[in-house]
Amino acid sequence: MTVDDEIARLAALANPHRFRIIALLAEESLHVSELARRLGMSRALLYMHLQRLEAAGYVTGHLELSDDGKALKFFEVVPFEVTTNVASIAAAVAADTESTH
Amino acid sequence: MTVDDEIARLAALANPHRFRIIALLAEESLHVSELARRLGMSRALLYMHLQRLEAAGYVTGHLELSDDGKALKFFEVVPFEVTTNVASIAAAVAADTESTH
DNA sequence: TCTACCTGTTAGAAATAACTTACAGGTGTC
DNA sequence: GACACCTGTAAGTTATTTCTAACAGGTAGA
């Protein structure tokens, strides 16, 4: 695990909106507009946060066709476990300085 | 654990400089100027990062008097283990919404 | 006194993240 | 056609974080 990777994983989680997104999706898979309604935030903003979460691998989205023919983008959580401690950080930094030299 | 607390813990780690600071201090306790020299960064900037780390409880600093009478501010890591997963996030969000109502 | 260290703070610039507004396009129903 | 849903993006603003430059003050030795 490289430093950039670990930081990306941590940074993607470090946001109150994204916490609430994960908490909601943990209960049930929801499509974007419904999620925006429940969280009381704009769809455009939600998209940004979903992109960050998806880029880090915490959630995944897929288009689904509803009964009445509408295309809905559903998102669901990808179970994860992020563990960071002194040793893992030291190892990441060491791995980085090794590869650069 | 409240949402703000967990986010503060995660955000405090999510920075390459702070990773390197922790990695260095994991090997040995160092004073600010020496640390700045090894990392190749300005003291003012280092101070900012150390404050964030100390505020989150990852490092701790104390003044120490050297043999020749100079006051040196040494920092050392406080062993930690940060674990985050879907359940812990859901719990934090739930605890938050409980207390607000 | 001058030099070489050290701690500590502040004001402002620069870079990044977060957020808003405003689009364009689609399907189905009244 | 008008309305009520939906996805998706781009431009521009605001807020936050990060970083620089500059300062004030201290001790010890040549």
Side-chain angles (χ1 to χ4, degrees):
Chain A
M1 184 71 70
T2 162
V3 168
D4 285 352
D5 286 351
E6 267 204 52
I7 287 173
R9 277 168 175 269
L10 291 169
L13 287 181
N15 178 283
H17 283 323
R18 295 199 281 272
F19 257 50
R20 296 182 61 211
I21 291 171
I22 290 173
L24 257 185
L25 292 183
E27 296 175 14
E28 56 178 324
S29 180
L30 293 169
H31 64 89
V32 180
S33 290
E34 178 62 25
L35 194 51
R37 237 175 277 126
R38 301 229 190 150
L39 292 169
M41 72 164 79
S42 74
R43 228 169 13 91
L45 179 55
L46 179 56
Y47 259 88
M48 189 272 281
H49 287 300
L50 283 173
Q51 270 168 18
R52 286 205 67 157
L53 286 173
E54 192 169 29
Y58 293 127
V59 304
T60 179
H62 63 277
L63 279 174
E64 208 167 286
L65 234 57
S66 68
D67 296 341
D68 55 344
K70 281 173 188 160
L72 306 179
K73 180 137 190 187
F74 274 85
F75 273 90
E76 51 195 311
V77 255
V78 176
F80 61 86
E81 178 97 14
V82 174
T83 302
T84 311
N85 53 35
V86 180
S88 74
I89 289 176
V93 171
D96 251 36
T97 39
E98 284 304 310
S99 65
T100 347
H101 293 308
Chain B
M1 185 68 72
T2 162
V3 168
D4 286 350
D5 285 351
E6 265 203 55
I7 287 173
R9 279 168 176 268
L10 291 169
L13 288 181
N15 178 284
H17 283 324
R18 295 199 281 272
F19 257 50
R20 295 182 63 210
I21 291 171
I22 290 174
L24 257 185
L25 292 182
E27 295 175 15
E28 56 178 324
S29 181
L30 295 169
H31 64 89
V32 179
S33 289
E34 178 62 24
L35 194 51
R37 238 175 278 122
R38 301 229 192 152
L39 292 168
M41 72 165 80
S42 75
R43 230 172 11 91
L45 179 55
L46 180 56
Y47 259 89
M48 188 273 280
H49 287 300
L50 284 173
Q51 272 168 15
R52 287 205 65 158
L53 286 173
E54 192 168 29
Y58 293 126
V59 304
T60 180
H62 63 277
L63 279 175
E64 209 166 286
L65 233 57
S66 67
D67 297 340
D68 55 344
K70 281 173 190 161
L72 306 180
K73 180 137 191 186
F74 275 84
F75 274 90
E76 52 195 310
V77 257
V78 177
F80 61 87
E81 178 97 15
V82 174
T83 302
T84 310
N85 54 37
V86 180
S88 75
I89 289 176
V93 171
D96 250 36
T97 41
E98 285 305 311
S99 66
T100 347
H101 293 307

